[in-house]
């Protein structure tokens, strides 16, 4: 068996804890809800970046290229100093929501270049300027710019001119589950000799400051020569060994209360002691080199064009025989690897045994990705695929949040009067201590429910067990509300994210070989609660047309669909209704699959079959579909006026396409309760025939169940596939380009609401203003619409064709169209005929400098006309779906039941 797959198997069966150590350390913990103890919920102001070096966190830690265990008892990360910065570079800097002219925005350049699923091999890259970091310049210029202006980026400040920067690479190779070999290389890209301070840190998360009965024991870390030795009752002995002759430094992971609040603190050598000692020469480190936070201080002087190197090894005495456990899985199934570490060399070896581990893990990673990558892929596609997987895996973070304890307030600072009735007060039961795939490790260092569903679909390609665990996680009792609601995201658990968990579970089930019925059964049972919550919560009139608020699409409408609907009106949502129709079909498909194994699921098939029919029929009855335009719109109920269509052509009106599936007629006939129910509908409610697989929706042995039937499908697809509307060179836009020349306007109650096509950064402050659904390309909805085309093609086959691009292109099958849209999305990251990558936009450094050109960012969304990356720059959560789109090249058909 392939070495990495053997490790995955050992991790899955619990025999070897290969996933226990990983890149689970956040890149930002300051400015998060968990650290916010203000009465007004002003997280960015309460714990700003300026406090981060001096203030102990309550819930988690952050750092550069960080590693920790899956409970984050210990942490390892890198810090750097170029001799000119006002502070150590211990964490990435960026602007908060109020500071950036387009919202939250990181101002650094780093990349995840490699990772295997067990993190047996990882590579991280960072470009660190040699001039002083322009903190004030970035804040002042961006604050002065308006929403019509572009963001002022780090590259715009000139600090990378003449290549005056360090190209820093960190490689991680596991000799065992708790034995990590680390190589740090710093290349001086500048024209002159430069000095770089490198400080690998080892510290313990501050769990003792809460005063809890079971957290009273203080851990300790001390420096001895070129080693840092940590002692913790849960981790045992942790040792960081370094080559050469570094200087060990130590302080305490405690707040510098004197600096922050002008009161005495708990430690004479608080958290920023190492920073102040290195940068200012202050006597702020422990004289006996002991505390709860420590670093090995290296000083590298490197000529231009040369590279300095540091070797480190991080080990735990829980690694048993310091080598035998390390290769347990490999020896069992991969004994022919002779280039592995020699256990006799011991866990502190930094010589030949160390080199053997690094070489072996790199080779095994190459082997893993060679098998994953289709032979038809180009070298550039293979590069994008590998970096997308790396980003997806590096974005796994330790997430700790006990809502009840948080609502009570910090034990050392008084809580605001309204704290117990503010944000997330209804979620007192939520108690999380888990590793979760985050949307973006800096801009979104917390889980988001619908993001996580897409992460799981991408993760299923490389680590199916972890993908399934992630989907089940938010359905556990310590997340799922007793009413059945899934928490949306940290800023407001009460918000309604689209109900895509069932869809994702089916995707993961099929991608994993359609054999893990136990997983599907567990998810299905818990989703029954969530489905019921949606029916009761988002269909207030009981008319089977759903509201649901903004549903993750932020500012896509002319008004805030969650809280800014015109006074006295009521919004019936096309996307909310489509999501629920899709949810019904997903649950029906699950029940059909499980009914083959267990007849007790038979009764649930007609339940969801009927739910779908009622929802789909109601959408047409209430007027969400415009026969005149051949499109779905939201409908506003206005007193005295009636139903007013909100005639915005957006992805809201395309999402009904996702409510579609085709199933074998034989499967439907095998469920007796379903046969009886269908017979009743055909006799008593013939108007449901098209929605419920009537004669005109039958092809061979398959029946089509779809919110958009064969008669309406060509009309809706003509809109979607028109390059003057939704179809761009890089995927489907979220808003039709028709609104560029024809902005939408609606007057209700004397107020005028407008919307126009905005292909780039948002010009509205709605939902914080740092995301925009008014024209850019977004991966999640593109992926779902591609999946919908696959489902329709599965029913219609190759004989059903429509012009592509619409309306006058060459007739193409729906599968060919799906593949073409997938290719357009993948091309965002690929070099075009001129060698340009669209994702880089017009940034000359990224487009033309070979040292930057193959380092791929995975953005939150993309410019609707040019494809330039926008929003969060490391959204390798749902944008990692590019992995699945690249892998389509080896698959002729979508997964089927």
């Amino acid at each position: 068996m392939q070495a990495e797959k053997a490790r995955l198997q050992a991790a899955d069966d619990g025999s070897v804890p290969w996933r226990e150590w990983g890149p689970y350390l956040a890149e930002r913990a300051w400015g998060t809800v968990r650290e916010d103890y203000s009465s007004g919920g002003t997280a960015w102001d309460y714990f700003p970046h300026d406090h981060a070096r001096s203030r102990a966190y309550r819930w988690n830690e952050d750092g550069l290229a960080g590693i920790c265990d899956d409970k984050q008892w210990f942490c390892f990360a890198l810090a750097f100093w170029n001799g000119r910065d006002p502070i150590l570079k211990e964490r990435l800097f960026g602007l908060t929501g109020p500071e950036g002219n387009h919202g939250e925005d990181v101002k650094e350049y780093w990349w995840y270049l490699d990772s295997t699923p067990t993190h047996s091999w990882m590579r991280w890259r960072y470009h660190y300027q040699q001039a002083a970091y322009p903190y004030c310049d970035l804040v002042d210029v961006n604050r002065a710019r308006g929403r019509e202006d572009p963001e002022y980026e780090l590259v715009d400040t000139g600090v990378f001119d003449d290549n005056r920067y360090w190209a820093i690479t960190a490689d991680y190779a596991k000799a065992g589950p708790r034995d990590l070999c680390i190589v740090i290389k710093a290349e001086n890209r500048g024209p002159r000799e430069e000095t770089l301070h490198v400080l690998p840190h080892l510290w313990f998360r501050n769990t003792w400051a809460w005063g809890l009965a079971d957290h009273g024991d203080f851990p300790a870390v001390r420096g001895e020569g070129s080693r840092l030795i940590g002692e913790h009752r849960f981790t045992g002995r942790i040792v960081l060994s370094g080559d050469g002759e570094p200087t060990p430094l130590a302080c305490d992971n405690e707040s510098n209360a004197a600096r922050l609040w002008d009161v005495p603190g708990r430690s004479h050598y608080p958290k920023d002691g190492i920073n102040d000692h290195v940068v200012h020469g202050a006597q702020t480190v422990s004289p006996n080199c002991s505390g709860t936070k420590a670093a090995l201080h290296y000083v590298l002087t490197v000529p231009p064009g040369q590279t300095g190197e540091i070797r480190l090894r991080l080990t735990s005495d829980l690694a048993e025989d310091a080598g035998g456990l390390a290769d347990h899985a490999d020896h069992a199934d991969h004994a022919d690897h002779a280039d592995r570490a020699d256990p006799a060399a011991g866990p502190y070896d930094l010589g030949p045994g160390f080199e053997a581990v690094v070489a072996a893990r790199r080779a095994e990673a190459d082997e893993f990705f060679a098998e994953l990558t289709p032979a038809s892929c180009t070298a550039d596609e293979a590069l994008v695929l590998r970096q997308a997987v790396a980003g997806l895996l590096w974005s796994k973070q330790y997430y700790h949040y006990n809502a009840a304890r948080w609502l009570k307030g910090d034990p050392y600072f008084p809580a605001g009067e309204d704290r117990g009735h503010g944000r997330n007060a209804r979620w007192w039961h939520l108690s999380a201590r888990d590793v979760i795939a985050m949307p973006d490790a800096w801009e979104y260092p917390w889980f988001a429910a619908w993001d996580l569903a897409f992460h799981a679909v991408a993760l299923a390609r490389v680590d199916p067990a972890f993908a399934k665990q992630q989907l089940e996680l938010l359905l556990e009792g310590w997340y799922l509300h007793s009413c059945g609601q899934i928490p949306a995201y940290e800023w407001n658990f009460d918000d309604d994210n689209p109900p895509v968990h069932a869809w994702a579970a089916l995707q993961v089930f099929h991608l994993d070989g359609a054999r893990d019925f136990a997983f599907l059964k567990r998810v299905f049972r818990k989703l029954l609660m969530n489905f019921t919550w949606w029916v009761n919560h988002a269909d207030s009139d009981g008319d089977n047309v759903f509201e649901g608020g903004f549903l993750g699409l932020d500012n896509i409408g002319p008004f805030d669909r969650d809280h800014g609907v015109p006074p006295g009106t009521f919004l019936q949502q096309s996307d909310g209704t489509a999501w629920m129709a899709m949810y019904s079909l997903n649950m029906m498909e699950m029940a059909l699959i499980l009914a083959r194994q267990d007849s007790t699921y038979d009764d649930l098939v007609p339940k969801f079959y009927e739910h779908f029919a009622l929802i789909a029929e109601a959408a047409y009855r209430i007027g969400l579909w415009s026969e005149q335009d051949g499109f779905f719109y939201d409908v506003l109920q206005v007193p005295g006026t009636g139903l007013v269509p909100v005639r915005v052509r957006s992805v809201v009106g395309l999402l009904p396409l996702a409510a579609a599936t085709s199933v074998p007629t034989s499967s439907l006939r095998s469920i007796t309760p379903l046969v009886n129910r269908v017979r009743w509908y055909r006799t008593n409610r013939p108007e449901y025939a098209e929605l419920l697989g009537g004669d005109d929706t039958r092809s061979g042995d398959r029946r089509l169940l779809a919110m958009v039937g064969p008669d309406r499908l060509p009309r809706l697809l003509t809109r979607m596939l028109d390059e003057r509307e939704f179809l761009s060179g890089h995927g489907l836009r979220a808003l039709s380009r028709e609104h560029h020349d024809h902005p939408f306007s609606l007057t209700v109650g004397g107020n005028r609401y407008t919307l126009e096509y905005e292909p780039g950064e948002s010009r509205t402050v709605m939902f914080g203003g740092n995301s925009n659904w008014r024209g850019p390309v977004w991966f999640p909805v593109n992926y779902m619409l591609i999946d919908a085309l696959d489902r329709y093609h599965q029913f219609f086959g190759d004989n059903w064709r429509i012009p592509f691009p619409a309306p006058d292109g060459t007739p193409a099958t729906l599968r060919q169209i799906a593949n073409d849209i997938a290719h357009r999305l993948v091309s965002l990251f690929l070099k075009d005929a001129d060698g340009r990558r669209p994702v880089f936009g017009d940034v000359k450094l990224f487009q033309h400098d070979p040292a930057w050109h193959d380092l791929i960012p995975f953005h939150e969304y993309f410019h609707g006309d040019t494809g330039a990356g926008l929003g969060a720059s490391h959204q390798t959560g749902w944008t990692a779906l590019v992995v699945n789109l690249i892998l389509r090249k080896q698959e002729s058909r979508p997964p089927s039941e």
Side-chain angles (χ1 to χ4, degrees):
M1 183 185 290
Q2 187 194 95
E4 178 60 16
K5 288 191 174 180
R7 281 189 284 271
L8 267 178
Q9 180 176 304
D12 291 347
D13 66 26
S15 60
V16 188
W18 282 108
R19 294 190 188 91
E20 184 177 332
W21 287 14
Y24 311 142
L25 189 72
E27 281 168 343
R28 180 171 68 88
W30 58 274
T32 61
V33 167
R34 281 160 289 164
E35 297 298 329
D36 177 21
Y37 286 89
S38 67
S39 59
T42 53
W44 289 314
D45 295 331
Y46 182 79
F47 201 137
H49 175 270
D50 184 56
H51 283 200
R53 69 181 181 276
S54 305
R55 187 168 173 175
Y57 296 119
R58 284 292 180 243
W59 295 99
N60 69 322
E61 298 284 341
D62 59 15
L64 299 177
I67 301 294
C68 68
D69 62 281
D70 57 10
K71 293 293 182 287
Q72 203 173 91
W73 300 118
F74 82 87
C75 303
F76 167 88
L78 305 176
F80 307 103
W81 188 51
N82 57 20
R84 300 179 178 93
D85 277 353
I87 58 174
L88 288 184
K89 182 62 68 175
E90 292 183 79
R91 55 189 53 81
L92 299 163
F93 176 73
L95 305 182
T96 66
E99 289 174 332
N101 62 320
H102 293 289
E104 238 174 342
D105 184 25
V106 68
K107 300 296 184 184
E108 304 268 12
Y109 300 115
W110 80 105
W111 302 265
Y112 310 114
L113 298 186
D114 221 353
S115 182
T116 56
T118 64
H119 309 296
S120 60
W121 168 258
M122 297 186 293
R123 174 169 286 174
W124 176 89
R125 170 69 68 84
Y126 176 52
H127 286 180
Y128 179 42
Q129 83 292 331
Q130 293 172 349
Y133 188 91
Y135 290 101
C136 293
D137 184 37
L138 287 166
V139 172
D140 293 343
V141 173
N142 278 288
R143 187 175 278 160
R145 291 190 175 189
R147 305 200 66 80
E148 301 286 339
D149 302 315
E151 294 171 356
Y152 183 59
E153 303 291 1
L154 183 58
V155 69
D156 299 324
T157 67
V159 294
F160 292 103
D161 292 353
D162 302 319
N163 290 326
R164 297 177 185 273
Y165 69 94
W166 295 94
I168 301 171
T169 303
D171 289 345
Y172 296 87
K174 286 184 180 178
R178 305 182 186 99
D179 186 356
L180 192 60
C181 301
I182 306 165
V183 180
I184 303 166
K185 294 182 179 180
E187 180 185 357
N188 178 5
R189 293 277 175 86
R192 295 197 299 264
E193 181 177 88
E194 291 285 348
T195 296
L196 176 69
H197 298 248
V198 181
L199 294 100
H201 278 63
L202 175 66
W203 75 100
F204 295 111
R205 179 167 58 89
N206 188 330
T207 59
W208 52 89
W210 283 104
L212 301 177
D214 59 342
H215 290 74
D217 295 341
F218 277 76
V221 59
R222 67 184 187 277
E224 293 183 359
S226 60
R227 290 183 183 173
L228 301 178
I229 302 169
E231 304 283 350
H232 193 291
R233 64 178 179 138
F234 292 125
T235 66
R237 191 169 183 254
I238 302 283
V239 179
L240 177 66
S241 305
D243 64 351
E245 298 181 356
T247 301
L249 305 171
C251 61
D252 285 316
N253 187 16
E254 295 277 6
S255 295
N256 186 341
R259 172 182 179 254
L260 296 170
W261 306 294
D262 197 27
V263 297
R266 291 164 55 100
S267 171
H268 294 296
Y269 308 104
K271 181 178 175 180
D272 53 13
I274 295 173
N275 172 88
D276 292 353
H277 177 76
V278 172
V279 175
H280 304 296
Q283 300 303 308
T284 50
V285 293
S286 168
N288 61 0
C289 203
S290 64
T292 49
K293 175 186 176 186
L296 296 175
H297 184 193
Y298 287 88
V299 181
L300 304 179
T301 300
V302 183
Q306 300 299 306
T307 300
E309 179 178 318
I310 296 169
R311 292 184 178 184
L312 304 164
R313 193 156 186 171
L314 185 66
T315 60
S316 166
D317 61 4
L318 295 180
E320 295 184 3
D321 62 353
L325 178 62
D327 293 313
H328 171 85
D330 296 327
H331 284 304
D333 295 295
H334 209 67
D336 57 328
H337 270 247
D339 56 348
R340 65 184 73 261
D342 178 5
Y348 310 129
D349 170 46
L350 295 168
F354 178 100
E355 293 170 357
V357 170
V358 173
R361 297 301 175 257
R362 183 189 301 117
E364 290 160 5
D366 291 343
E367 179 185 39
F368 177 82
F369 282 100
E371 182 176 304
L372 176 69
T373 308
S376 58
C377 278
T378 66
D380 205 26
E381 288 172 326
L383 178 144
V384 171
L385 180 140
R386 191 158 178 172
Q387 290 189 33
V389 170
L392 181 65
L393 296 173
W394 271 89
S395 294
K396 292 156 65 173
Q397 307 284 293
Y398 173 74
Y399 185 81
H400 185 202
Y401 188 20
N402 182 307
R405 190 188 309 161
W406 179 79
L407 287 164
K408 291 178 181 177
D410 190 295
Y412 291 98
F413 299 95
E417 293 181 4
D418 298 328
R419 181 174 182 78
H421 304 283
R423 174 184 288 133
N424 297 334
R426 199 172 63 89
W427 294 81
W428 57 269
H429 73 283
L430 192 144
S431 181
R433 293 179 60 195
D434 300 288
V435 171
I436 306 180
M438 302 295 181
D440 180 289
W442 194 93
E443 292 208 28
Y444 303 107
W446 27 260
F447 74 84
W450 84 303
D451 300 60
L452 189 59
F454 294 108
H455 304 172
V457 173
L459 282 163
R461 291 295 195 170
V462 291
D463 192 351
F466 184 71
K468 287 181 274 190
Q469 184 267 344
Q470 292 289 284
L471 284 176
E472 292 189 69
L473 188 61
L474 296 191
L475 301 176
E476 297 289 359
W478 53 93
Y479 288 94
L480 190 71
H481 199 280
S482 58
C483 69
Q485 185 178 9
I486 295 174
Y489 49 85
E490 186 174 279
W491 283 85
N492 188 357
F493 288 144
D494 283 320
D495 267 343
D496 301 337
N497 273 193
V500 293
H501 246 66
W503 172 85
L506 279 168
Q507 291 274 318
V508 171
F509 173 77
H510 288 303
L511 288 170
D512 189 39
R515 58 184 179 272
D516 192 348
F517 300 102
F519 157 72
L520 205 62
K521 186 178 292 187
R522 291 192 302 271
V523 170
F524 180 83
R525 288 175 175 172
K526 292 179 180 179
L527 285 175
L528 285 172
M529 292 177 60
N530 181 246
F531 185 90
T532 302
W533 174 82
W534 271 99
V535 170
N536 293 332
H537 164 78
D539 179 20
S540 58
D541 286 349
D543 60 1
N544 293 302
V545 178
F546 290 79
E547 300 86 49
F550 83 105
L551 286 173
L553 304 187
D554 295 20
N555 53 20
I556 199 166
F559 40 76
D560 180 340
R561 300 190 304 161
D562 200 11
H563 302 293
V565 177
T569 67
F570 187 74
L571 188 69
Q572 302 279 23
Q573 292 182 222
S574 178
D575 55 337
T577 304
W579 288 126
M580 287 304 295
M582 184 190 77
Y583 197 174
S584 300
L585 287 178
N586 296 153
M587 294 294 280
M588 187 204 74
E589 288 185 72
M590 282 193 200
L592 267 175
I593 293 169
L594 294 172
R596 296 175 199 158
Q597 310 291 319
D598 185 346
S599 61
T600 60
Y601 287 87
D602 285 3
D603 290 339
L604 292 169
V605 176
K607 168 185 168 57
F608 291 106
Y609 184 86
E610 187 168 355
H611 262 296
F612 162 73
L614 293 171
I615 292 168
E617 186 275 336
Y620 291 100
R621 173 170 41 81
I622 202 145
L624 299 183
W625 169 259
S626 169
E627 189 63 32
Q628 174 185 335
D629 295 352
F631 204 79
F632 288 93
Y633 298 120
D634 286 350
V635 171
L636 201 63
Q637 292 184 340
V638 181
T641 303
L643 299 176
V644 178
V646 182
R647 305 177 80 89
V648 173
R649 290 213 287 275
S650 74
V651 73
V652 165
L654 298 179
L655 283 170
L657 290 167
T661 190
S662 68
V663 294
T665 303
S666 56
S667 295
L668 297 176
R669 287 175 178 168
S670 67
I671 308 296
T672 301
L674 177 62
V675 172
N676 295 335
R677 199 63 182 144
V678 171
R679 185 179 297 119
W680 184 92
Y681 266 95
R682 289 182 179 173
T683 301
N684 297 279
R685 302 295 296 274
E687 67 270 25
Y688 285 80
E690 182 180 353
L691 300 170
L692 292 175
D695 291 338
D696 58 342
T697 56
R698 179 176 178 177
S699 177
D701 184 45
R702 302 195 76 83
R703 295 273 185 175
L704 177 68
L705 305 177
M707 191 169 169
V708 186
D711 293 340
R712 297 181 177 97
L713 182 62
R715 298 188 65 195
L716 188 56
L717 289 181
T718 296
R719 296 282 193 197
M720 185 175 91
L721 304 177
D722 190 336
E723 291 179 316
R724 296 166 300 182
E725 291 213 38
F726 290 97
L727 185 64
S728 80
H730 306 291
L732 298 169
R733 303 177 177 100
L735 185 74
S736 171
R737 204 178 190 282
E738 173 76 7
H739 291 298
H740 178 273
D741 298 322
H742 302 92
F744 172 81
S745 178
L746 175 69
T747 299
V748 181
N751 295 316
R752 186 167 178 261
Y753 301 89
T754 61
L755 176 147
E756 60 183 294
Y757 176 72
E758 299 177 12
E761 298 284 10
S762 171
R763 289 179 288 171
T764 172
V765 298
M766 197 184 299
F767 284 94
N770 64 334
S771 67
N772 184 24
W773 288 81
R774 297 185 173 189
V777 171
W778 291 77
F779 260 73
V781 291
N782 267 262
Y783 190 88
M784 296 200 79
L785 290 170
I786 289 171
D787 178 60
L789 292 174
D790 285 338
R791 290 171 178 268
Y792 278 107
H793 180 267
Q794 190 177 34
F795 175 76
F796 287 114
D798 292 338
N799 293 326
W800 202 90
R801 296 169 182 260
I802 59 172
F804 180 75
D808 303 317
T810 303
T813 68
L814 294 180
R815 180 65 172 176
Q816 289 171 330
I817 294 169
N819 285 338
D820 185 273
I821 296 172
H823 175 73
R824 292 175 188 234
L825 289 161
V826 174
S827 73
L828 284 161
F829 309 103
L830 301 178
K831 288 183 281 191
D832 62 17
D834 298 321
R836 299 178 76 260
R837 299 188 191 276
V839 65
F840 288 143
D842 294 326
V843 182
K844 293 181 180 179
L845 180 66
F846 304 162
Q847 291 288 15
H848 303 298
D849 190 327
W852 297 74
H853 193 59
D854 288 342
L855 302 173
I856 312 297
F858 295 89
H859 284 268
E860 186 178 5
Y861 53 99
F862 302 86
H863 194 285
D865 295 334
T866 69
L870 300 168
S873 58
H874 289 72
Q875 187 99 358
T876 329
W878 59 27
T879 302
L881 289 166
V882 69
V883 171
N884 301 53
L885 298 178
I886 292 173
L887 294 181
R888 285 177 68 93
K889 300 190 78 168
Q890 67 183 354
E891 298 162 352
S892 59
R893 297 282 178 182
S896 60
E897 64 273 356

